[in-house]
Amino acid sequence: MNRFGPTRQIYFFEEFIPTEHPSPFLEFHPYEGTTIVSVRPRIPHDWDEAQRQEGLTDLLDLMLRLHRIVQPVLWFYSPLMFGFAQHVEAAAVVYDCMDELANFRFAPTNLKQLETALMARADLVLTGGVSLYEARRHQHDNIHAFPSGVEVAHFATVRSGIAPAPDMATLPGKTLGFYGVIDERIDLDLLDQVARARPDWSIVMVGPLAKISQADLPARPNLHFVGQRSYADLPAYLAGWDVALMPFAITAATRFISPTKTPEYLAAGLPVVSTPVPDVVSTYGGLDGVGIAATAPEFIAACERAMMLERSTFLPAVDLKLASMSWDETFKRISALLDAALESRSKRVAMPHVRRPRRRAHYDYVIVGAGFAGSVLAERLAADGGKRVLVCDRRNHVGGNAFDNHDAAGILVHRYGPHIFHTNSDAIVDYLSRFTAWRPYEHRVLAAVGEQRLPMPINRTTLNALYNLDLADDAAAEVFLQTLAEPQDIIASSRDVVINQIGTALYRTFFEGYTRKQWGLDPSELDKSVTARVPTRVTTDDRYFLDRFQAMPLHGYTAMFENMLDHDNIELALGVDYTQLQADRLAPKLIYTGPIDEYFGYRFGPLPYRSLAFRHETLDQRRFQPVAVVNFPDQSVPFTRITEYKHLTGQVHPQTSISYETPQADGDPYYPIPRAENAALYKRYAALADATPDVTFVGRLGTYRYYNMDQVVGQALATYRHIDSTQPADKVSA
C-alpha cells in the first residue's frame, strides 16, 4: 500500500476495538510521511453482533462523509469486513485473498457466506499463492496469483555481515530459527522432537502467540520462544541463524498458505528447511537452498544438509528466483490489473461497425457468404487482385457461424456456439494476424459423468478419477487401456474406432450417447472419421487441441472480419439472399460458399446436414463452470454441451453468459453428415459444379465437408492462388 500512496489516498479500516464508552466512535492515526491513515473503529464492548454490524456500517459511512470520499476502491483482506461495507458504491472492489480463512481455528460461522458474496461483487481477486489460486480460479473471471514478494535490500543486509541480535549471539551450538505468528498452524510436536533429538542445537521461535497459549508450547532448554520483534529487527535475528525453518503442520489450515518468510529467508542468504507446504514445494522446492522434510528424522537430516551447504553454490539460483519477486514488480502488476478493472467498469460496449462503400458499379466477383471462406476470398481478390467484389449474406452480419457480439448484458458471446481457433500453419496465422491481435487460449473440455466432471479427450486423469486408480505414468495408463480395448477385425464405423481403442465401457460412457445426440444416428451408422477426431491420451495433458498455435482474436471474430472486409473494393449486402441480386448480371464470376445442393435446386435431392439450436442465458454470477465447455454424453440430457463464453474471451464482467447447445434435424445447416451414401450424393453435385466454370464452390457447405476454421482459411487462400494464377498478366495489384 505504501507504493499506492503517491497516487492514492489510503484508509485502512481496521478490525473493531471494544471500548467502555457507551457509543461507537472512530480513531484516525495517520502514518507520518505517507498518505496512509489507519482508521480504528471503537465499538461498545457489550454490543451483540447485530449492533456491532450496524455500528460499523454507520462509522464507515461517517468516515466517507467526513473525508468526502465518493466511489472509493474497496480493498478487502477479509470477507468479514464485507458485511458492513457491501452497501458502499465503489469504483472497483478488490478481494486480496491471502489464505483459506475458513480452515482456521475459531473461524466465524458466516465467513463462507460472506466470502461467496464478496467474490461475486469483486472486480479483481488476488490470491496469496499458487495453491489458493488453483482452488479459486474457477470461482472468478479476474483472479490472479501473487506469491509473496520480498524487500530484497532489507534482508540482504544479512549477507554483508551485520551483527546478530544480542539475544542470538549468546546461544550455544548451531542456531535454527523461525519468525512469524505462532498459532495452530505450527507443528509444535515436530519442534519438540527436533529439540529433544538435537540438544546441541538452539531453536529460536520469534513471533506472537495466537489462538494458543504459553501452556501449549513444548518446554525444552534449547527451544526458545522469544516473542514478537519488529520488522526492522528481523535481519539481525536472521544474522544469528545457521538455518531458517518453516515448521508448519500439514493440515487444512496450511493447505493454501504461501508464507512470506520463505523469500525473506532466502534474500538473507540462509538455507531453508520446510515441511511439505504445497506452495513452498511448488515455488521453491527446486532450489538447492530449500530442503523439504515431512517427519522429524527427515527434518533433522535436511537441517544437517543445509548446514553443510556453501552459499556460493545455492545463492545464484536463489537470486535469479528472487529477481522477479520484488514488491516493486508485484506492485507494478497489481496496479495494472486495478487500472484495467477500473477501466472495465466504465467502458462502454462499442456496437459492431462494417464499412459499406456505396459504389453502384459493375463488380468482378459476387461472393455468396460472409464467413471465413467468403471473407478471405473477398479480401484477397480486392487487396491483392485489385478486383471489385460484392459480398452478400442472407444473415444480417459478417462472420458466418463465427459471428460474435455483445449480448444485452454487454458480454461477448458466440451466437452460433463456441469457435476456438487453432492451427499448425504459420502461413494461416500470419495471414489472419493482419486483421487481429490474439489472446492466447488453450481450450479445455470436461465431460459430465454423474456428479464428476472429467477431462475430455480421455486422458490419464480421466481414467484415474473414473476408475479410482492411481496410474502414475504414461506406461501404466497405456497398459490399463490395453486391458479395456476390444480389437475389431474391421474398422468401418465410428463405433468400431472407439471400441477397438478403449473398449465398450468407455465407449458407452463418453461416446455412444453424445454421438447419437450430435448426429441423430448410432455411431455404428457413421463414418469412422467422426470419432477419429477425438483422441485418447495416456498423458495428463488436458488440452482439447494440441496445435502449436492456439488463440482467440483479441477483440472477437466479428472485429477480425470487419477489418478483413474494410477495403474500398469490397461492398457488402447483408440480410440479402443472392437470388435477389440477379448475381449473373452484377458480375461475370460467382464464388459460392452456401450449400451446393441448394445452388443446384436440390436436383438430386437434399444433402443431409445436422443443425443446432442454442439457448442463451445470462446469469448473475461471475463463473458458472470451471472450463469453457462441459459436454453431456448422457443421452437422457437433451443438450450436448454448455458453453461459458468468458473463458474464451477473457472478458471481466460481474455476470456471465452461457449457451445450451442442442442438435436437431431442421434448421440452418451446420455439419455435413459423414456417411458413404451422402458422400456419393455429393459427388453428383460436385460433377455439376465442375461443369459450371464461372462458379467456384468453397467452404464447408460448398464442398460438403467438415473443416476446422484454419482449414477453411487454407482452402480459401489456395482457391485464391488458383484464381490468381489464371488471371491475365496485366492484373491490377492493390
Side-chain angles (χ1 to χ4, degrees):
M1 283 300 158
N2 271 328
R3 289 167 172 79
F4 276 117
T7 58
R8 290 178 170 92
Q9 174 65 59
I10 298 164
Y11 296 89
F12 267 109
F13 201 91
E14 298 187 4
E15 295 184 17
F16 77 88
I17 303 171
T19 178
E20 297 293 329
H21 196 279
S23 299
F25 61 91
L26 291 172
E27 295 177 354
F28 292 88
H29 298 268
Y31 288 87
E32 187 176 352
T34 75
T35 60
I36 300 174
V37 177
S38 175
V39 182
R40 297 171 186 169
R42 306 296 297 268
I43 297 293
H45 68 93
D46 55 352
W47 278 16
D48 60 25
E49 181 60 24
Q51 289 174 305
R52 284 196 293 268
Q53 289 299 309
E54 184 179 354
L56 289 168
T57 299
D58 291 343
L59 290 176
L60 178 59
D61 289 344
L62 174 63
M63 185 199 81
L64 296 176
R65 287 196 306 272
L66 286 174
H67 293 266
R68 299 180 181 179
I69 300 171
V70 178
Q71 288 192 318
V73 173
L74 295 179
W75 190 299
F76 292 91
Y77 288 103
S78 167
L80 295 176
M81 298 286 191
F82 188 64
F84 62 82
Q86 58 187 299
H87 68 287
V88 176
E89 185 179 353
V93 174
V94 180
Y95 177 28
D96 200 343
C97 180
M98 296 303 296
D99 215 325
E100 186 63 81
L101 300 177
N103 289 343
F104 282 30
R105 186 184 294 182
F106 311 127
T109 56
N110 64 339
L111 183 61
K112 282 275 192 186
Q113 180 182 356
L114 285 170
E115 184 173 60
T116 298
L118 175 54
M119 289 282 282
R121 173 82 181 278
D123 299 288
L124 173 62
V125 178
L126 312 174
T127 67
V130 175
S131 296
L132 195 56
Y133 167 79
E134 290 296 332
R136 301 294 183 89
R137 66 188 179 93
H138 302 312
Q139 300 175 22
H140 203 276
D141 57 354
N142 194 22
I143 184 169
H144 306 270
F146 281 91
S148 300
V150 57
E151 296 281 10
V152 173
H154 180 66
F155 292 96
T157 56
V158 178
R159 301 192 191 187
S160 62
I162 63 170
D167 50 347
M168 295 295 98
T170 58
L171 293 176
K174 297 291 186 180
T175 304
L176 301 80
F178 164 88
Y179 62 72
V181 176
I182 299 168
D183 56 16
E184 82 273 16
R185 296 173 298 169
I186 299 297
D187 192 337
L188 297 176
D189 185 58
L190 173 68
L191 289 175
D192 187 49
Q193 291 184 58
V194 173
R196 181 180 58 200
R198 293 305 302 260
D200 55 321
W201 291 352
S202 295
I203 301 174
V204 178
M205 301 292 289
V206 178
L209 301 184
K211 302 177 188 175
I212 62 174
S213 68
Q214 194 73 32
D216 296 317
L217 303 178
R220 297 281 172 188
N222 61 331
L223 184 52
H224 310 278
F225 293 88
V226 301
Q228 188 170 1
R229 297 294 187 267
S230 71
Y231 180 76
D233 291 337
L234 293 180
Y237 277 83
L238 290 167
W241 299 349
D242 298 286
V243 179
L245 304 180
M246 298 281 288
F248 286 97
I250 304 304
T251 65
T254 58
R255 173 66 184 83
F256 300 110
I257 62 172
S258 182
T260 58
K261 23 204 147 304
T262 313
E264 292 173 354
Y265 291 160
L266 293 171
L270 289 180
V272 179
V273 175
S274 174
T275 51
V277 174
D279 270 19
V280 176
V281 174
S282 62
T283 308
Y284 306 100
L287 297 174
D288 290 340
V290 178
I292 306 296
T295 66
E298 291 171 354
F299 205 85
I300 292 168
C303 290
E304 291 170 342
R305 286 193 298 271
M307 293 173 189
M308 297 173 63
L309 285 174
E310 292 290 339
R311 290 191 177 189
S312 60
T313 63
F314 75 85
L315 285 183
V318 164
D319 292 341
L320 187 63
K321 181 79 173 177
L322 297 180
S324 62
M325 299 181 64
S326 72
W327 280 117
D328 287 335
E329 183 63 28
T330 299
F331 166 72
K332 194 183 306 180
R333 291 170 54 206
I334 291 177
S335 183
L337 290 170
L338 179 57
D339 289 343
L342 289 165
E343 181 183 0
S344 176
R345 271 287 192 100
S346 60
K347 189 175 183 180
R348 186 176 70 87
V349 174
M351 297 302 292
H353 171 71
V354 177
R355 189 171 179 272
R356 294 179 175 87
R358 292 301 178 188
R359 182 205 332 88
R360 299 183 180 277
H362 187 73
Y363 301 99
D364 297 303
Y365 283 84
V366 169
I367 296 179
V368 179
F372 268 106
S375 296
V376 169
L377 278 162
E379 187 279 330
R380 288 288 75 206
L381 287 165
D384 185 67
K387 302 301 183 182
R388 294 168 298 174
V389 181
L390 174 66
V391 179
C392 70
D393 199 302
R394 60 174 55 141
R395 289 171 172 169
N396 64 354
H397 57 73
V398 300
N401 288 344
F403 172 73
D404 52 21
N405 68 311
H406 290 90
D407 62 14
I411 298 170
L412 188 63
V413 300
H414 297 186
R415 184 180 294 183
Y416 307 103
H419 283 69
I420 294 92
F421 190 81
H422 56 100
T423 187
N424 286 317
S425 169
D426 294 336
I428 290 172
V429 174
D430 291 344
Y431 172 73
L432 292 178
S433 296
R434 303 178 190 182
F435 314 108
T436 184
W438 298 96
R439 172 183 179 264
Y441 171 75
E442 293 182 331
H443 191 49
R444 287 170 170 81
V445 174
L446 298 177
V449 179
E451 296 301 313
Q452 293 181 296
R453 298 294 181 266
L454 304 175
M456 191 69 187
I458 294 168
N459 66 7
R460 179 149 40 97
T461 305
T462 313
L463 298 173
N464 281 334
L466 186 65
Y467 290 101
N468 194 26
L469 300 172
D470 186 21
L471 302 172
D473 53 32
D474 298 357
E478 183 72 53
V479 169
F480 179 73
L481 283 174
Q482 288 173 2
T483 67
L484 300 178
E486 300 171 24
Q488 305 292 296
D489 294 333
I490 300 174
I491 308 295
S493 69
S494 287
R495 178 185 180 278
D496 299 332
V497 170
V498 179
I499 290 179
N500 183 73
Q501 290 181 350
I502 59 176
T504 302
L506 288 176
Y507 161 75
R508 287 179 174 162
T509 299
F510 292 100
F511 292 95
E512 185 177 60
Y514 191 93
T515 306
R516 285 174 176 172
K517 288 190 293 184
Q518 179 69 25
W519 297 103
L521 294 167
D522 189 81
S524 62
E525 302 174 88
L526 288 166
D527 187 83
K528 59 186 178 182
S529 64
V530 172
T531 47
R533 287 171 51 85
V534 183
T536 301
R537 300 175 187 149
V538 295
T539 68
T540 56
D541 190 342
D542 63 348
R543 295 175 298 163
Y544 197 77
F545 306 111
L546 300 180
D547 302 65
R548 292 195 309 271
F549 183 85
Q550 302 183 46
M552 300 292 287
L554 182 62
H555 302 294
Y557 285 101
T558 300
M560 181 180 71
F561 281 102
E562 290 172 356
N563 291 334
M564 195 181 296
L565 295 168
D566 186 9
H567 194 281
D568 284 339
N569 283 350
I570 298 175
E571 186 169 338
L572 298 175
L574 300 178
V576 177
D577 194 291
Y578 91 101
T579 56
Q580 302 171 248
L581 295 175
Q582 296 181 314
D584 58 334
R585 300 182 185 178
L586 289 172
K589 298 286 187 180
L590 177 69
I591 293 175
Y592 189 81
T593 71
I596 189 172
D597 55 339
E598 181 182 331
Y599 178 84
F600 289 110
Y602 306 106
R603 186 178 305 180
F604 305 121
L607 285 165
Y609 287 93
R610 198 66 172 154
S611 187
L612 297 171
F614 297 95
R615 176 162 59 89
H616 290 271
E617 293 182 0
T618 298
L619 309 174
D620 287 325
Q621 58 195 77
R622 286 192 172 270
R623 275 281 183 256
F624 175 73
Q625 58 192 28
V627 293
V629 172
V630 175
N631 288 351
F632 291 81
D634 188 339
Q635 199 168 352
S636 67
V637 179
F639 47 85
T640 50
R641 58 183 179 176
I642 298 175
T643 300
E644 184 176 11
Y645 291 98
K646 291 198 306 180
H647 288 283
L648 304 179
T649 64
Q651 186 177 0
V652 177
H653 195 285
Q655 296 172 293
T656 193
S657 290
I658 63 174
S659 67
Y660 296 83
E661 184 173 321
T662 305
Q664 58 187 24
D666 301 322
D668 289 344
Y670 281 82
Y671 302 109
I673 298 178
R675 301 185 72 190
E677 57 265 41
N678 299 341
L681 180 58
Y682 165 69
K683 285 183 179 180
R684 300 179 69 187
Y685 282 112
L688 291 180
D690 291 340
T692 314
D694 291 334
V695 181
T696 301
F697 295 87
V698 292
R700 278 189 184 184
L701 305 182
T703 56
Y704 198 67
R705 186 173 299 174
Y706 184 89
Y707 288 120
N708 291 325
M709 288 182 287
D710 68 319
Q711 293 171 318
V712 177
V713 174
Q715 183 200 44
L717 291 173
T719 300
Y720 172 70
R721 288 193 296 270
H722 174 74
I723 292 172
D724 185 54
S725 69
T726 63
Q727 296 298 316
D730 61 347
K731 79 177 181 70
V732 178
S733 294

